[in-house]
Amino acid sequence: MYIREAHPIDGLSPLPASRSVNDPKNLLERTEVASSCAKKLNFTMPMLIDDMKDSTARNYGGYPDRLYLVGKDGKVVYQGGPGPRGFKPDELEEELKKVLEASPSGKK
Amino acid sequence: MRDLNIRFIAAATLSCLVLQAGLSAQEDAPGAKDGEKKSAERVEDRQGPETSGARRINPMAKLLELMDPDGDGTITASELDGFIAKLDSDGDKRVNDDELRVRMRAILSALRPGSSGGRSASGGRSRGSGGRQRRSIDDPGVSRESAEASNVLKQATRSGGLPGPGDRAPDFRLSLLEGSAAPDYVKPDEKGLIRLSQHQDKKPVVLIFGSYT
């Protein structure tokens, strides 16, 4: 889930320009940044792009980063803490293992 | 608790040494021999607009100041416990690497002079240390639109109404990045958009929120 930039050059807590980007102002720009992000970091997972109202980041408290696991019933199984401190992939992995063990047919 | 304190002091001292080595390369020698309070004052003295860059600050003095709230020049066991509690944001009664780093970053950015100084629209200065500056929304290099939106999101992240375990995950309908892997379990709707609600029943879904920076 690609959401609003945490440290854009024109933001409140920017990274140096050499390592950052301007905050995308429309969906096209956002898509471009998402694309270079995916390329640079060699992402292999499907990547969704949040809308410019930041609806998803808002609904999930996903900014600046966060993990969730949603069960087959559409209910949240695991809500990670707010990132970056609460961003703990190990916790997610453990929860995911539990879910998959409980219903082996649901393997990803 | 005791071994925790000792380990923590070791970690704090180490990180200060590293920071000092990196940031105070031009720190003049007598500073090291001054009492902590005096060093802290010297740091304050340097906050004037004529001082430039991060090289002439002393994070160690600031850290000691935080560890010695009554300012008597010594750190007692209870002051140290209080300090640990302050840093221990995940509440496990231990200060880990991340927590220490977060605090040191905050100290460093607070010490940096000129973080509100007028910068051109090209914004973010390179700072060598990798630390980040904090700017005001009125800074000429800051996009008001972006700043306001990020503040809204920060608030949302802190708010109480987020979906926790057992709650229905809010649906979304978003575009999939072109060229990003679209395995057969990802099924766009008639408009080519991805809905969470159309990806249930079969597999659990992991949502990873984040941005480039």
Side-chain angles (χ1 to χ4, degrees):
Chain A
M1 187 72 64
Y2 175 79
I3 59 170
R4 183 170 287 279
E5 282 299 323
H7 303 289
I9 295 166
D10 52 352
L12 293 172
S13 61
L15 283 170
S18 57
R19 292 194 284 130
S20 190
V21 291
N22 275 307
D23 205 26
K25 303 293 185 293
N26 55 52
L27 194 59
L28 182 67
E29 285 179 16
R30 185 171 276 190
T31 306
E32 278 165 6
V33 177
S35 173
S36 35
C37 173
K39 264 182 218 139
K40 183 95 175 187
L41 301 175
N42 292 320
F43 282 160
T44 55
M45 73 280 239
M47 193 160 164
L48 299 179
I49 299 159
D50 200 6
D51 60 43
M52 290 313 287
K53 287 187 209 144
D54 301 318
S55 315
T56 323
R58 214 182 291 200
N59 286 342
Y60 284 86
Y63 181 88
D65 50 81
R66 193 168 207 149
L67 294 168
Y68 275 90
L69 175 61
V70 180
K72 287 197 286 179
D73 57 0
K75 289 183 178 163
V76 173
V77 177
Y78 165 77
Q79 178 196 40
R85 263 177 286 166
F87 193 91
K88 295 178 175 153
D90 302 3
E91 282 182 13
L92 175 82
E93 187 183 355
E94 218 153 281
E95 294 292 329
L96 186 55
K97 273 184 195 153
K98 273 191 240 163
V99 170
L100 294 179
E101 270 161 30
S103 63
S105 63
K107 254 197 261 170
K108 210 167 192 184
Chain B
M1 203 58 182
R2 207 42 49 189
D3 72 312
L4 163 68
N5 287 348
I6 290 161
R7 279 196 326 190
F8 171 68
I9 292 168
T13 310
L14 261 177
S15 60
C16 280
L17 289 176
V18 171
L19 285 164
Q20 281 206 296
L23 290 166
S24 308
Q26 291 171 0
E27 181 86 11
D28 29 353
K33 295 196 181 83
D34 287 348
E36 56 191 80
K37 290 290 146 194
K38 221 171 149 202
S39 309
E41 279 162 21
R42 282 156 39 84
V43 170
E44 300 304 324
D45 289 346
R46 291 169 178 184
Q47 304 279 322
E50 74 285 0
T51 58
S52 64
R55 291 190 174 280
R56 311 180 72 192
I57 57 173
N58 187 347
M60 184 61 140
K62 190 70 196 168
L63 188 68
L64 287 173
E65 198 181 81
L66 280 174
M67 294 170 90
D68 178 26
D70 68 6
D72 67 350
T74 59
I75 298 162
T76 65
S78 75
E79 281 175 334
L80 198 50
D81 287 346
F83 183 68
I84 289 168
K86 230 186 275 170
L87 263 70
D88 176 27
S89 44
D90 62 6
D92 66 353
K93 304 255 188 289
R94 274 152 217 279
V95 173
N96 61 36
D97 194 34
D98 279 349
E99 287 162 347
L100 189 62
R101 209 171 296 156
V102 165
R103 178 48 61 107
M104 287 313 297
R105 226 180 256 158
I107 290 173
L108 287 172
S109 58
L111 282 176
R112 277 199 184 103
S115 57
S116 57
R119 286 284 129 191
S120 70
S122 63
R125 254 175 303 187
S126 172
R127 290 199 171 258
S129 72
R132 250 169 261 124
Q133 54 183 139
R134 286 241 143 241
R135 299 192 294 192
S136 133
I137 195 163
D138 298 318
D139 190 294
V142 172
S143 151
R144 178 164 286 270
E145 184 193 350
S146 292
E148 277 168 1
S150 79
N151 282 337
V152 167
L153 290 183
K154 270 179 225 161
Q155 214 158 9
T157 295
R158 282 194 295 262
S159 78
L162 300 174
D167 293 338
R168 178 147 297 278
D171 199 11
F172 51 75
R173 190 174 181 218
L174 299 170
S175 52
L176 178 70
L177 179 69
E178 216 178 306
S180 88
D184 52 8
Y185 56 79
V186 176
K187 292 183 207 75
D189 66 10
E190 68 286 355
K191 288 241 166 113
L193 301 175
I194 308 294
R195 293 190 219 198
L196 177 64
S197 52
Q198 291 183 343
H199 291 80
Q200 267 137 29
D201 302 340
K202 296 216 171 84
K203 298 166 201 282
V205 176
V206 171
L207 300 175
I208 305 168
F209 289 82
S211 70
Y212 200 0
T213 58

